[in-house]
Amino acid sequence: MMQSGRRSFLKKSALATGGLLTFSQLSSAFSIDRNNDIIIGHNNHRYKVNLNWGDLDPAKTPVKDCHEIVQDSQGRIVMLTNHTKNNVLIYDKSGKLLDKWGTEYPGGHGLTLAKENGEDFLFITDYERHQVIKTTIDGKVVMTLDCPLDTGHYAQKEAYKPTETTVLDNGDFYIADGYGNQFILHYNHKGELLNVFGGRGREEHQFINAHGICYDNRDKANPCLLITAREQNVLKKFSLEGEYLSSIPVPGALICRPVIHNNEVYFAVLKSKEAANDDSGFLLIMDDQDQVVSCPGATKPVYENHQLDQLYQTIRLFQHPHDVCVDEDDSIYVAQWNSGQTYPIKLTRV
């Protein structure tokens, strides 16, 4: 679907997902303000949609799957695509392209920003190379981590398909093998393996699609890891030592990476679990009490007897959203997988 036609498509297709909606559901899906802007979201998390942010000439700067997106120390928006003509695109907040680099990451998937002694670094996971690569912000490789065959958890490197990383303040980092054997691997800043936990399975401490991971230090006395079990519609909490702590169900939502901004957690939701159409994603915002407070592009979150009702897409805006970046103005930048090679969407908080 071409970018120029997305606004018209959006207005015409709000009823196309999940059958006919009630008036109240349709009203909560989106609104049009006096400037003809499309507004989505719920409660005090509502956003104006900018469908043209970051559009580029695909002949010069093509994208394939836009997997992940972060903001660097200069305030620039850095996005990873698995198009090997330009794996990394760097924008300013207005959507102007500032730089691009990278031709060697055909499975570029996870992108995490790390800061060391005032300098920005990137951790890239590449599931086709079966590696995690640490680079400078302009693409110079400083560390490459291969499949940890000596752990006994992998018979061959092809079983290792890392999807995400997260970095602690001391430089330790964790790798989520979300497309492989579902282990979480803990390394120190030198790249020495310290611990392995998780693994494929349906027990509380295991995962089906350990897709995303982040370091959560909102409670300074009890920092933990947030790890998504995407296919199970669950966010799991672990100690930094790998001990399972608790689970937070998000019924119907295939959540990707957790992204912490202020005291809240933001997610791209790849798709609605029970939706008729596959490209049925939306966004999800969770407060510091683990309660979902807004689902831009989906049903309003409702709790009955302390249980969240199943969530599903209500408006055909997003196509497989894969990651979000939230800037200092609370604007959200949305990168999308398998979306017809489209560039990111920007949501401005209203």
Side-chain angles (χ1 to χ4, degrees):
M1 179 174 59
M2 298 298 291
Q3 292 282 105
S4 60
R6 289 163 81 177
R7 177 177 291 268
S8 174
F9 177 79
L10 172 63
K11 292 180 181 180
K12 293 177 180 178
S13 61
L15 297 177
T17 302
L20 293 175
L21 304 179
T22 66
F23 177 79
S24 61
Q25 289 170 329
L26 181 58
S27 297
S28 69
F30 73 98
S31 60
I32 308 286
D33 69 11
R34 66 181 63 187
N35 297 316
N36 202 35
D37 291 320
I38 298 166
I39 308 296
I40 60 174
H42 309 101
N43 300 314
N44 66 339
H45 287 274
R46 301 176 69 245
Y47 301 88
K48 179 175 67 175
V49 179
N50 183 345
L51 294 172
N52 300 311
W53 187 90
D55 277 359
L56 301 169
D57 181 350
K60 296 180 179 179
T61 311
V63 294
K64 190 177 178 183
D65 299 312
C66 296
H67 271 134
E68 296 209 335
I69 190 164
V70 298
Q71 187 175 31
D72 71 8
S73 295
Q74 300 178 53
R76 304 181 303 173
I77 306 302
V78 183
M79 190 193 72
L80 178 69
T81 173
N82 52 5
H83 200 298
T84 53
K85 185 174 181 178
N86 37 237
N87 282 121
V88 174
L89 306 183
I90 302 178
Y91 293 96
D92 68 14
K93 293 199 301 180
S94 74
K96 177 184 177 182
L97 183 67
L98 301 176
D99 197 6
K100 57 184 179 180
W101 55 263
T103 59
E104 300 178 346
Y105 304 106
H109 185 278
L111 184 70
T112 300
L113 184 79
K115 300 178 183 180
E116 298 177 12
N117 301 317
E119 185 177 356
D120 285 352
F121 293 88
L122 296 171
F123 281 79
I124 297 172
T125 68
D126 190 310
Y127 57 78
E128 289 195 14
R129 288 176 48 174
H130 314 287
Q131 291 178 323
V132 175
I133 304 95
K134 180 181 179 182
T135 77
T136 61
I137 195 67
D138 57 358
K140 179 182 178 181
V141 174
V142 297
M143 181 189 296
T144 300
L145 292 162
D146 295 316
C147 174
L149 292 171
D150 56 356
T151 63
H153 294 301
Y154 298 90
Q156 54 187 4
K157 71 174 186 179
E158 286 75 16
Y160 179 61
K161 299 180 180 180
T163 53
E164 191 62 77
T165 62
T166 193
V167 184
L168 306 190
D169 297 332
N170 66 357
D172 281 16
F173 57 95
Y174 297 78
I175 299 171
D177 182 25
Y179 289 162
N181 286 358
Q182 310 298 313
F183 288 103
I184 309 300
L185 303 111
H186 178 192
Y187 292 83
N188 66 17
H189 71 283
K190 298 178 182 179
E192 299 168 336
L193 185 62
L194 303 178
N195 190 22
V196 180
F197 60 95
R200 185 183 304 279
R202 297 186 179 276
E203 300 295 325
E204 289 181 332
H205 67 284
Q206 297 176 315
F207 301 94
I208 302 296
N209 196 193
H211 189 270
I213 183 170
C214 81
Y215 172 51
D216 182 0
N217 66 345
R218 290 174 294 172
D219 180 352
K220 302 299 182 183
N222 298 287
C224 66
L225 299 169
L226 303 180
I227 308 173
T228 57
R230 190 170 70 178
E231 292 297 325
Q232 296 168 289
N233 307 152
V234 172
L235 176 66
K236 296 189 176 186
K237 292 187 178 183
F238 285 78
S239 73
L240 301 185
E241 293 71 38
E243 177 187 3
Y244 169 80
L245 300 175
S246 62
S247 291
I248 306 165
V250 282
L254 275 71
I255 49 176
C256 296
R257 168 167 61 171
V259 175
I260 295 175
H261 175 68
N262 295 329
N263 286 322
E264 296 168 315
V265 189
Y266 292 68
F267 303 85
V269 176
L270 187 74
K271 60 181 179 179
S272 308
K273 192 174 185 67
E274 304 298 336
N277 57 300
D278 188 62
D279 58 338
S280 55
F282 52 92
L283 307 186
L284 186 150
I285 303 168
M286 187 180 292
D287 67 16
D288 58 358
Q289 301 301 309
D290 301 332
Q291 298 288 296
V292 179
V293 295
S294 183
C295 291
T299 45
K300 183 176 181 178
V302 174
Y303 285 84
E304 296 183 8
N305 298 320
H306 306 291
Q307 300 295 318
L308 179 63
D309 287 353
Q310 180 154 310
L311 303 165
Y312 57 91
Q313 185 191 70
T314 51
I315 181 171
R316 296 290 298 279
L317 168 59
F318 299 113
Q319 297 174 278
H320 301 116
H322 194 272
D323 192 34
V324 296
C325 171
V326 190
D327 71 15
E328 62 276 11
D329 300 319
D330 294 338
S331 293
I332 303 176
Y333 305 83
V334 185
Q336 302 189 109
W337 168 80
N338 192 22
S339 62
Q341 302 182 8
T342 58
Y343 299 91
I345 294 172
K346 182 177 181 178
L347 305 181
T348 302
R349 193 164 179 178
V350 297

